[in-house]
Amino acid sequence: MLQSDRLVVAPEVGNAIFDRRPVVALESTLISHGLPYPQNVEVAIEAEAAIRAVGAVPATVAMRDGRLRVGLSVDELDALATAPAGSVRKVSRHSLAEGAAAGGWAATTVSATMIAAHAAGIRVFSTGGIGGVHRGALDGPSPTFDISADLEELARTPVAVVCAGPKAILDVPRTLEYLETRGVPVLVLGEDEMPFFWARRSGIPAPMTVPDVAAAARVVEAQAALGLSAGIVLANPVPAAHALPDADVRDIVARGIADAAAAGVRGPATTPWLLARIAEITGGASVLANIALIVDNARVGGLLAVELARR
Ligand code: PSU
Ligand code: MN
């Protein structure tokens, strides 16, 4: 059991949870490792604003000095965003204890954010894209076995995660197979295809389509009522105005992955490295798409939390 002194919930967030008002968790790895400064702090603030605009309370999660923090101030968001490169750890389930023992700031990935959100009593969490089965994890001359801890967390922790699908740098079909095996429903909002992170469509059929957020809320509610203790993925395609063309994403990802292999990048550094490399290749267009999808996922997470609180 998580000791209460290891979980610090901001008063506004704690009051909302106590009153059963809608709350949406946000993660911090996309601030420290996913996007360049100053867009990282701008998107952190915009995502919180998008949640408030639909009547929910935002709670950005990070770890500081060994404690999981649920709800950060603007100054704290800024501290995470401006910390010198390499000074903030990226923590997932397997590295949370190490990050806690080390002290200082640590940014939580999807898996670590789900742990904190669930411990605090938050049912909805918005991010950019979830981790998944990396390309080359299972095949090629030397399989890396690199499968994001996000997938196992979704299998065991009952939090609904709003995202633009698995990041397009991943093996999306195998990520879907993994989630199916581990009992995680994957819902796509308003489309019959999985989104492709920076692009709206991937060509990969959606496991399940929901027409609107109210329909998604009914699935979340049924999942809980049936005693199924897994999470849920609600995939929301990137807003059309900032989407990259599907075919371009395919080419860009292939280039980025070839570059990463040539540079010998491995392990938890892989995702941040590829996101930065793809930002270079696209002249910043991928960053604009990433920002747009994070803010829109925050809005949809807010609507989902409002719908769940109303029922
Ligand atoms: N969404 C984004 N940018 C990111 C991430 C999500 O738009 O950088 C982060 C999340 O924290 C996710 C992590 O958990 O990438 C996946 O890392 P890995 O593949 O090492 O598990
Ligand atoms: Mn990994």
Side-chain angles (χ1 to χ4, degrees):
M1 256 251 310
L2 178 72
Q3 285 179 16
S4 58
D5 62 333
R6 293 287 184 161
L7 182 69
V8 180
V9 181
E12 185 198 12
V13 175
N15 288 335
I17 295 167
F18 184 81
D19 296 343
R20 298 181 177 276
R21 283 184 280 122
V23 179
V24 179
L26 295 164
E27 59 139 313
S28 43
T29 296
L30 63 85
I31 304 174
S32 60
H33 291 70
L35 289 166
Y37 182 81
Q39 284 102 324
N40 56 356
V41 65
E42 286 164 9
V43 78
I45 291 168
E46 270 183 62
E48 292 210 345
I51 290 168
R52 289 191 195 281
V54 297
V57 174
T60 302
V61 172
M63 175 175 259
R64 190 176 195 186
D65 295 336
R67 295 161 194 248
L68 284 166
R69 300 276 310 272
V70 179
L72 300 180
S73 68
V74 172
D75 285 349
E76 289 170 330
L77 293 175
D78 202 62
L80 265 176
T82 55
S87 67
V88 174
R89 283 163 195 268
K90 167 184 169 184
V91 287
S92 296
R93 177 177 278 273
H94 69 96
S95 47
L96 261 178
E98 183 193 1
W105 279 111
T108 50
T109 63
V110 168
S111 69
T113 305
M114 288 179 77
I115 292 170
H118 180 55
I122 300 172
R123 296 155 78 190
V124 179
F125 159 33
S126 291
T127 181
I130 56 168
V133 179
H134 280 264
R135 300 187 194 202
L138 304 169
D139 49 17
S142 73
T144 61
F145 255 70
D146 191 354
I147 299 174
S148 176
D150 294 355
L151 302 185
E152 281 301 306
E153 204 58 48
L154 280 159
R156 67 194 282 181
T157 303
V159 171
V161 179
V162 183
C163 61
K167 283 184 275 283
I169 54 174
L170 300 164
D171 184 333
V172 177
R174 284 183 170 124
T175 300
L176 293 179
E177 290 294 346
Y178 195 105
L179 290 168
E180 179 183 304
T181 300
R182 301 293 286 115
V184 180
V186 177
L187 284 51
V188 181
L189 192 59
E191 291 278 353
D192 57 4
E193 279 180 29
M194 279 307 287
F196 208 35
F197 196 55
W198 302 286
R200 287 185 60 83
R201 300 173 74 85
S202 63
I204 300 155
M208 197 186 323
T209 299
V210 284
D212 51 33
V213 172
R218 286 195 289 276
V219 179
V220 172
E221 209 174 51
Q223 162 103 341
L226 292 167
L228 303 169
S229 55
I232 282 194
V233 174
L234 177 59
N236 173 41
V238 55
H242 294 281
L244 305 185
D246 317 0
D248 290 10
V249 170
R250 258 173 262 278
D251 293 348
I252 292 158
V253 168
R255 266 182 73 188
I257 286 175
D259 293 350
V265 184
R266 309 176 55 95
T270 307
T271 296
W273 195 94
L274 279 171
L275 294 178
R277 179 73 190 116
I278 287 169
E280 272 171 18
I281 295 174
T282 60
S286 67
V287 172
L288 295 182
N290 202 342
I291 290 170
L293 66 86
I294 289 168
V295 174
D296 201 54
N297 292 343
R299 177 186 68 84
V300 169
L303 292 172
L304 178 61
V306 167
E307 189 67 33
L308 288 170
R310 207 170 57 77
R311 291 163 155 270

